[in-house]
Amino acid sequence: MSRFDPHSWCDADQPAQRHLDLELSVDFVARTLRGKVRLHLAQRAAGPLDLDARSLAIESVRNGSGAAIPWAIAESEPVRGDRLRVDLPAGTDLVEIVYTTAPGAVALGWLEPQQTAGGRHPFLFSQCQPIHARTIVPCQDTPRHRVTYDAAVTVPAPLRAVMSAGAAGETHDRHGRTTWRFRMPQAIPTYLLALAVGNLDRRDLGPRSCVYAEPETVERAAWEFAEVESMIASAETLFGPYEWDRFDLLLMPPAFPYGGMENPRLTFLTPTLLAGDRSQVNVVAHELAHSWTGNLVTNATMNDFWLNEGFTVYAERRILEEVYGKEYADLQGVVRRNALQVNLDHFGKGSPYTKLRTDLAGVDPDEVYSLVPYEKGAQFVLLVENAVGRARFDRFLRAYIDTFRFRSITTDEFLAFLEQELPGVYARVEGPRWVDGPDMPDNELPVVSARVDRVRSLAAGWACGARPTRDDVDAWSPTEWQLYLQDLPRQLGDGDCHWLDETFRLTKQGNYEVLVEWLTIAAGSNFAPALPRIREVLSSVGRMKYLKPLYTALMKNEATQAFAREVFAEAADSYHPLSKGAVAGIVKA
Ligand code: BES
Ligand code: ZN
């Protein structure tokens, strides 16, 4: 037996899956998927095959010729889930499993019509990263193995199904159901399997991109993301050809727990990005960057997750620099460095979760999700770039992507490649302190930006009476506002809150990054006039990036704890299982 991934039952001595044939039938009333999957194995084999599963009701397991195969849920762990062991008769290269998912399957968000923009149709979406694909299909749910897939998804008309795959036609039956077919020719790790079902329209954005959204939001989405082709073109000059044919976007309902998810060929995006000024496109740049760093070159296990997100944040900033200039990219960097500090303080000095390479055996990756792999990772990559110069680093990056494309690698494999291509650099940048040490090493590169300095000094002077003038703020972008608010004290007096809100109309902000930054201060200050807006945001938006700081700020004050619990009690049933779990941990409900 040789298990290599602490979050999967997959055994390296057993045959690997290569291709999935998936049939799914969506039942909005029961909140289940009835599924049939054919797992094609890399070679004919005999003996045990361990698959990952969680909360699946298995109905039958058969081989390619339809004969029943013995199977059992052999073992179960809280984080890993169920070990589904099937016993392959000699010569088996195909396993067919019929099953039904549970209504509480962690990967699935089932939305009532009132949680959508149109209000008339239900909506379903999946979120498989990091280890939730096993709640919708039994498989070797480790990023070390890749699969191609074909799928047929049957949904009630007039709903449309979309997946992280190419569309391959649809058929309508006489019972008012539509079967949507998909084909995914590029091999992906299972966490990139993705499905959404809803009343979806589409608008073309460019030669290889469109946006899917409900008819009520599709025009706004098309405007907000209109620049996507120029981002793809820039990314190609930086990182090499785009290998996934299409880069489509799917605008999710507000309950989506993340800002964006890089599902191949179809990035999922929160509607909180619709600021009306294209100021949140960094999220699109980020998910696009994953097309190279993450989806082409994948982390082998969640212990190596920083390879995925750290390189992607670095790549995201390179795209932003190309398309929007260095000033915007730098501002983004500073704002996210601030947010990283909040995570570092939360974990505490010396915490193992502040290392880039982690040991997450027995640990739920969702519970220790933070900006450490993102921003500490990106800082480390930047340090390497700085040590060898951009031209040489760009050649290294191309070689890295080229060498490991469509593969999944460990931190050790990356470090061996780094040493081979750029000998001595790892030691020179004190790499071991970054990769295997906790906290932020002190050789981090500073950001040099006059705009950043101006905003920061204004915020630092708050206690001594410094205030931004009209002229200051007229020139501020939303990101500068965000930075200013991040740097203000977490708790302000009523008079100060009133002044800020009345002068700058913050509670009425349409930009969620700015709004939530402000509402976090307001919540921490028990500023009563903002509470209705806080309640509104907490009851309609499921993005964890906003829920976590708001609930945390409310729970710091005894005066607002009851309010937080009351809002959560009302909103909990509408949250995605992931958001619900995260908030429950904060309000201790
Ligand atoms: N892949 C992540 C989202 C994710 C990570 C989901 C781990 C589940 C487990 C995605 O690329 C991401 O990082 N999204 C960010 C946006 C980004 C600009 C930092 C988000 O959702 O906020
Ligand atoms: Zn990411």
Side-chain angles (χ1 to χ4, degrees), residues 192-254:
L192 292 176
L193 202 74
L195 165 72
V197 180
N199 183 33
L200 294 172
D201 201 349
R202 54 167 287 174
R203 290 284 178 281
D204 280 327
L205 300 175
R208 46 186 159 170
S209 307
C210 75
V211 60
Y212 292 97
E214 290 183 70
E216 291 77 9
T217 47
V218 75
E219 297 298 345
R220 279 173 71 204
W223 186 86
E224 201 84 30
F225 307 130
E227 295 158 329
V228 66
E229 176 57 32
S230 67
M231 286 193 195
I232 306 173
S234 292
E236 284 190 310
T237 65
L238 290 165
F239 316 124
Y242 181 76
E243 303 245 26
W244 307 87
D245 306 324
R246 291 195 57 89
F247 182 70
D248 293 335
L249 307 175
L250 171 63
L251 191 82
M252 306 295 282

Side-chain angles (χ1 to χ4, degrees), residues 260 262 286-287 290 308-309 312 374:
E262 69 274 24
H286 178 94
E287 307 315 335
H290 273 304
N308 190 330
E309 295 298 348
T312 296
Y374 291 76

Side-chain angles (χ1 to χ4, degrees), residues 78-99:
V79 175
R80 262 199 182 107
D82 300 336
R83 172 156 70 88
L84 169 60
R85 170 162 288 190
V86 302
D87 265 303
L88 310 177
T92 306
D93 63 356
L94 188 128
V95 180
E96 180 187 284
I97 304 175
V98 177
Y99 63 94

Side-chain angles (χ1 to χ4, degrees), residues 129 260-262 283 286-287 290 293 305 308-310 312-313 316 336 369 374:
Q129 196 184 20
M261 177 63 213
E262 69 274 24
V283 177
H286 178 94
E287 307 315 335
H290 273 304
T293 50
F305 185 53
N308 190 330
E309 295 298 348
T312 296
V313 169
E316 166 197 344
R336 293 245 288 276
Y369 176 87
Y374 291 76

Side-chain angles (χ1 to χ4, degrees), residues 127-132 191 256-262 270 282-284 286-287 290 302 305 308-309 312-313 316 332 336 365-366 369 371 374-375 513 543-545 578:
Q127 169 57 47
C128 288
Q129 196 184 20
I131 54 169
H132 308 309
Y191 77 82
F256 187 55
Y258 290 96
M261 177 63 213
E262 69 274 24
T270 169
N282 73 294
V283 177
V284 180
H286 178 94
E287 307 315 335
H290 273 304
M302 281 307 284
F305 185 53
N308 190 330
E309 295 298 348
T312 296
V313 169
E316 166 197 344
Q332 282 291 333
R336 293 245 288 276
D366 285 330
Y369 176 87
L371 288 178
Y374 291 76
E375 297 300 324
E513 291 294 324
R543 189 175 178 187
M544 291 190 282
K545 182 183 181 187
L578 290 166

Side-chain angles (χ1 to χ4, degrees), residues 110-365:
W110 298 90
L111 305 184
E112 295 294 334
Q114 63 268 26
Q115 292 178 272
T116 67
R120 283 179 302 122
H121 298 282
F123 199 101
L124 165 68
F125 66 87
S126 69
Q127 169 57 47
C128 288
Q129 196 184 20
I131 54 169
H132 308 309
R134 68 197 64 178
T135 69
I136 53 180
V137 52
C139 61
Q140 291 170 324
D141 194 11
T142 169
R144 191 69 155 175
H145 288 329
R146 306 177 88 91
V147 291
T148 52
Y149 72 87
D150 290 307
V153 183
T154 303
V155 306
L159 303 187
R160 176 198 279 267
V162 287
M163 289 192 84
S164 54
E170 80 247 28
T171 47
H172 302 271
D173 71 13
R174 274 174 293 143
H175 314 288
R177 294 175 68 84
T178 314
T179 297
W180 299 85
R181 289 178 199 284
F182 304 91
R183 166 155 286 230
M184 184 55 180
Q186 291 100 351
I188 56 162
T190 46
Y191 77 82
L192 292 176
L193 202 74
L195 165 72
V197 180
N199 183 33
L200 294 172
D201 201 349
R202 54 167 287 174
R203 290 284 178 281
D204 280 327
L205 300 175
R208 46 186 159 170
S209 307
C210 75
V211 60
Y212 292 97
E214 290 183 70
E216 291 77 9
T217 47
V218 75
E219 297 298 345
R220 279 173 71 204
W223 186 86
E224 201 84 30
F225 307 130
E227 295 158 329
V228 66
E229 176 57 32
S230 67
M231 286 193 195
I232 306 173
S234 292
E236 284 190 310
T237 65
L238 290 165
F239 316 124
Y242 181 76
E243 303 245 26
W244 307 87
D245 306 324
R246 291 195 57 89
F247 182 70
D248 293 335
L249 307 175
L250 171 63
L251 191 82
M252 306 295 282
F256 187 55
Y258 290 96
M261 177 63 213
E262 69 274 24
N263 296 314
R265 304 174 71 124
L266 183 66
T267 279
F268 287 16
L269 297 170
T270 169
T272 60
L273 302 185
L274 299 182
D277 58 9
R278 297 184 181 155
S279 59
Q280 306 297 303
V281 289
N282 73 294
V283 177
V284 180
H286 178 94
E287 307 315 335
L288 171 65
H290 273 304
S291 307
W292 290 265
T293 50
N295 298 5
L296 266 192
V297 184
T298 306
N299 53 301
T301 74
M302 281 307 284
N303 291 337
D304 315 291
F305 185 53
W306 77 276
L307 286 176
N308 190 330
E309 295 298 348
F311 272 87
T312 296
V313 169
Y314 170 84
E316 166 197 344
R317 303 243 160 90
R318 292 293 301 272
I319 297 172
L320 294 177
E321 197 179 316
E322 287 289 316
V323 181
Y324 301 97
K326 188 156 165 41
E327 220 162 51
Y328 177 72
D330 279 349
L331 267 165
Q332 282 291 333
V334 173
V335 162
R336 293 245 288 276
R337 176 63 182 86
N338 270 345
L340 167 64
Q341 196 57 46
V342 175
N343 293 160
L344 292 171
D345 294 345
H346 170 80
F347 285 135
K349 216 171 158 39
S351 162
Y353 303 126
T354 63
K355 298 176 179 180
L356 288 181
R357 174 167 33 199
T358 51
D359 176 8
L360 297 183
V363 178
D364 178 350

